Amino acid sequence: RSCPATYVGFWDAIRRLFADTTDARIRGWSASRFSFNTKGGRCTVCDGQGMRRIEMSFLPDVKVACESCAGARFNADTLGVSWRGKNIGEVLAMSVDEAVEFFAAHRSIHHALRLLQDVGLGYLTLGQSSPTLSGGEAQRIKLVTELAKVRIDPTADGQPRPRVPGRGASLLTLYVLDEPTVGLHMADVEKLLRVLHRLVDAGNTVLVIEHNLDVMAEADWIVDLGPEGGDAGGRVVVQGTPEEV
């Protein structure tokens, strides 16, 4: 039932914005009214999914837009509440690129949305169902979720300093990514590399399984496994800095 907005974690903040509107307060609605996972505000026909599954006797099941809410996930009363001219269903249907401007004044929401842009996911809608995401998209959404938690402590000269336990910061993390550049345009690969550098600058370690030469060129250390695949592989062919390799 998750989507980019719920997985990354800024959907709760959006629901609170709608709950603070005059229309919602008059009706006595809290933020839970604007959740598609709980009863009350969601569409009762599709249970907040926005889609209905039609069973076909001898064919795979087919998913169609809910005829009651037209894919908006919420009932008519809930959709009657607007914030800055948009109802909650219209916000879910926004792309990340559109939402960045729409929520520019709200720092926590805007920060998460900018991170999604930074990893090349500006085209996704906030409410896109997680099972419809590709493996690469899912990896990058997980990466954004982690990056949103990263706080870089600057040193006196303004350079990033790794966080250490015991100073109110979380433990440093090892991130393992399996070919995150699959399906990405070269410009999006460059964006992804900037994000990976931010994780490393915060003191974390990033291990990337890749064949992309642009990613290899940015690595601190390369371990080349081979010389072939399958039974003919599995040995360390060479390792070192990109210059040495």
Side-chain angles (χ1 to χ4, degrees), residues 138-149:
Q139 272 199 100
R140 282 178 281 154
I141 285 179
K142 290 178 182 179
L143 189 61
V144 166
T145 304
E146 291 297 322
L147 195 64
K149 305 174 186 176

Side-chain angles (χ1 to χ4, degrees), residues 205-224:
T205 300
V206 180
L207 172 63
V208 186
I209 303 164
E210 260 299 349
H211 298 89
N212 188 303
L213 293 176
D214 291 333
V215 176
M216 294 182 195
E218 294 285 329
D220 296 318
W221 193 262
I222 293 176
V223 179
D224 185 20

Side-chain angles (χ1 to χ4, degrees), residues 149-162:
K149 305 174 186 176
V150 170
R151 292 293 181 269
I152 298 177
D153 298 331
T155 58
D157 59 2
Q159 296 301 309
R161 175 177 59 194

Side-chain angles (χ1 to χ4, degrees), residues 1 4 15 17 21 27 36 41 55 57 71 85-86 92 127 138 146 150 174 179 193 201 231 237 239:
R1 298 184 66 87
R15 292 194 294 117
L17 290 177
T21 61
R27 293 171 170 84
F36 51 79
E55 292 186 7
S57 298
K86 300 281 188 182
L92 270 179
E146 291 297 322
V150 170
L174 168 66
E179 302 199 49
L193 286 170
D201 289 342
D231 293 338
V237 176
Q239 62 175 314

Side-chain angles (χ1 to χ4, degrees), residues 43 162 183:
C43 174

